[in-house]
Amino acid sequence: MEKLKELWGVIVIGFVLSIWGGVNSYEFDDFFSNKSKVSFLESMSFLESIYGASAAAVPPNALMVGLTLVEGAAAKGAVCLDGTLPGYHLHHGYGEGANSWLIQLEGGGWCNNIRSCVYRKGTHRGSSTLFEKKIPFTGILSNKAEENPDFFNWNRVKIRYCDGASFAGDSEDKATGLQFRGQRIWLAAIEDLMSKGMHNADQALLSGCSAGGLASILHCDEFRSFFPGSTKVKCLSDAGLFMDAVDVSGGHTIRDFFGGVVSLQGVQTNLPSTCTDHLDPTSCFFPQNLIANIETPMFILNAAYDSWQVQQSLASSTADPQGTWHDCKLNHARCSTLQIQFLQDFRNDMLDAVKGFATPRQNGLFINSCFAHCQSERQDTWFADDSPVIRDMAVAIAVGDWYFDRANIEAIDCPYPCDKTCHNLIFK
């Protein structure tokens, strides 16, 4: 009876959150790791859907865009974890943007072992039968000039994420029927979009948030190769700069986790040889070891104190079994002086990883000192009256100026707590 009450309580909480859409969340870390035996790292797709659906992020008049399944993908083995067809949402451009294409790779965590991938295939991150039939296009996907000044009239696409390795795996587990076909999904979706007019693109931008931001780094040069040299092609990674960081216990939570993702899902063969010729495959799943060798112009957008990394890489429940970091990771205002110093050291490591990245004018950088995650898809952080800024420059303006070569963008914020424009995520 107690277990039934507990389960019902979680269902009610999830239902309320889905309606409210806020970022203040139930403590899914503790629930999944202790009750369902599926860790928060593995179930991040659920919480990321909350991040991206806050009331501030989705305006009441947001454009709703329908789902298109990639017919014929199954014949190429390009299927979701459960064997269903992959899909995307496309809103056509017009006017001056009719031949410009923006591809957004959806984020949503990863799965690193059979158990967690079996769980995932029963969610909208592993099966297209559970995809939303329509989703809101906001932020960089908005069709309104006042919300998205540079890309509002482009062809804008969100490719759904239904593998578990940032669109990079290619293997299977026959015993459970799991299909790890992220690389094939990526290729099938691009091929389908090419047949629908993208082959005529004179401008293209590959973007992504979180696990999709990592995917945009992994696939950037490959995306460039699909177009003739005359096409202007660039890439944007939002909240994808996952650091190979030491956690609060001195361990390597995220490295251990990524190691499972890479080995289980057959990611090794799809990693850039410029990295794997001198580093192990797990190291080559970390952007800090990839970005220096990407030839296509790239923009990195990241919060210096990325909320996901703080909660699940640096201070996960396994790294902090006594809960010393519990209050701090849910609300930065509750951090001690020593905890803030630890986070400042993490920020310094991130800045070291991108040192010199934006020196070539072709690359861009926007690292603000916020406790946030995914800022290009949320309207309130992308472009609104009170959006976060660095030197009075909003994210949308920085990305647009960089893409259209209007300015060299290397925006690095001063350290916390100097930035009062942040939309910091607070959890309860």
Side-chain angles (χ1 to χ4, degrees), residues 70-86 162-163 169-172 177-189 191:
V70 182
E71 301 297 339
K76 303 170 185 176
V79 292
C80 299
L81 285 173
D82 70 339
T84 54
L85 292 175
C162 65
D163 64 287
D170 194 4
S171 70
E172 64 180 334
L178 285 166
Q179 296 292 313
F180 306 117
R181 304 299 185 185
Q183 177 71 18
R184 299 191 193 194
I185 290 171
W186 152 255
L187 293 173
E191 183 178 350

Side-chain angles (χ1 to χ4, degrees), residues 131-198:
F131 285 171
E132 301 88 341
K133 297 301 183 281
K134 289 186 177 181
I135 62 171
F137 269 26
T138 61
I140 196 171
L141 295 174
S142 172
N143 65 331
K144 300 173 181 64
E146 64 272 20
E147 295 177 352
N148 188 24
D150 283 308
F151 308 107
F152 70 95
N153 61 354
W154 283 33
N155 298 281
R156 298 167 331 283
V157 183
K158 171 160 280 193
I159 300 178
R160 300 303 297 269
Y161 182 31
C162 65
D163 64 287
S166 289
F167 296 89
D170 194 4
S171 70
E172 64 180 334
D173 183 75
K174 292 182 178 179
T176 58
L178 285 166
Q179 296 292 313
F180 306 117
R181 304 299 185 185
Q183 177 71 18
R184 299 191 193 194
I185 290 171
W186 152 255
L187 293 173
I190 292 297
E191 183 178 350
D192 199 56
L193 292 167
M194 284 290 187
S195 72
K196 294 182 178 178
M198 194 165 72

Side-chain angles (χ1 to χ4, degrees), residues 114-309:
I114 295 298
R115 177 203 61 196
S116 61
C117 291
V118 167
Y119 167 81
R120 186 180 177 93
K121 80 171 183 176
T123 73
H124 69 296
R125 292 291 188 250
S127 174
S128 62
T129 60
L130 299 173
F131 285 171
E132 301 88 341
K133 297 301 183 281
K134 289 186 177 181
I135 62 171
F137 269 26
T138 61
I140 196 171
L141 295 174
S142 172
N143 65 331
K144 300 173 181 64
E146 64 272 20
E147 295 177 352
N148 188 24
D150 283 308
F151 308 107
F152 70 95
N153 61 354
W154 283 33
N155 298 281
R156 298 167 331 283
V157 183
K158 171 160 280 193
I159 300 178
R160 300 303 297 269
Y161 182 31
C162 65
D163 64 287
S166 289
F167 296 89
D170 194 4
S171 70
E172 64 180 334
D173 183 75
K174 292 182 178 179
T176 58
L178 285 166
Q179 296 292 313
F180 306 117
R181 304 299 185 185
Q183 177 71 18
R184 299 191 193 194
I185 290 171
W186 152 255
L187 293 173
I190 292 297
E191 183 178 350
D192 199 56
L193 292 167
M194 284 290 187
S195 72
K196 294 182 178 178
M198 194 165 72
H199 68 286
N200 293 320
D202 49 34
Q203 299 181 122
L205 174 62
L206 176 66
S207 66
C209 156
S210 194
L214 171 56
S216 70
I217 292 172
L218 290 169
H219 292 298
C220 184
D221 282 340
E222 188 178 16
F223 185 65
R224 161 75 269 184
S225 71
F226 297 138
F227 300 94
S230 58
T231 305
K232 184 187 187 79
V233 180
K234 297 188 178 185
C235 306
L236 163 66
S237 173
D238 176 9
L241 189 59
F242 296 99
M243 297 293 297
D244 189 2
V246 175
D247 61 40
V248 297
S249 71
H252 297 83
T253 298
I254 193 168
R255 166 169 275 274
D256 294 342
F257 185 86
F258 274 3
V261 175
V262 170
S263 60
L264 174 67
Q265 300 197 40
V267 175
Q268 302 95 318
T269 57
N270 296 317
L271 294 170
S273 60
T274 52
C275 181
T276 56
D277 62 5
H278 65 283
L279 291 176
D280 63 273
T282 300
S283 294
C284 295
F285 203 60
F286 282 98
Q288 66 199 77
N289 299 319
L290 301 173
I291 56 177
N293 291 313
I294 294 175
E295 297 180 357
T296 306
M298 165 76 67
F299 192 102
I300 291 178
L301 163 64
N302 230 88
Y305 315 100
D306 182 276
S307 294
W308 189 92
Q309 296 194 61

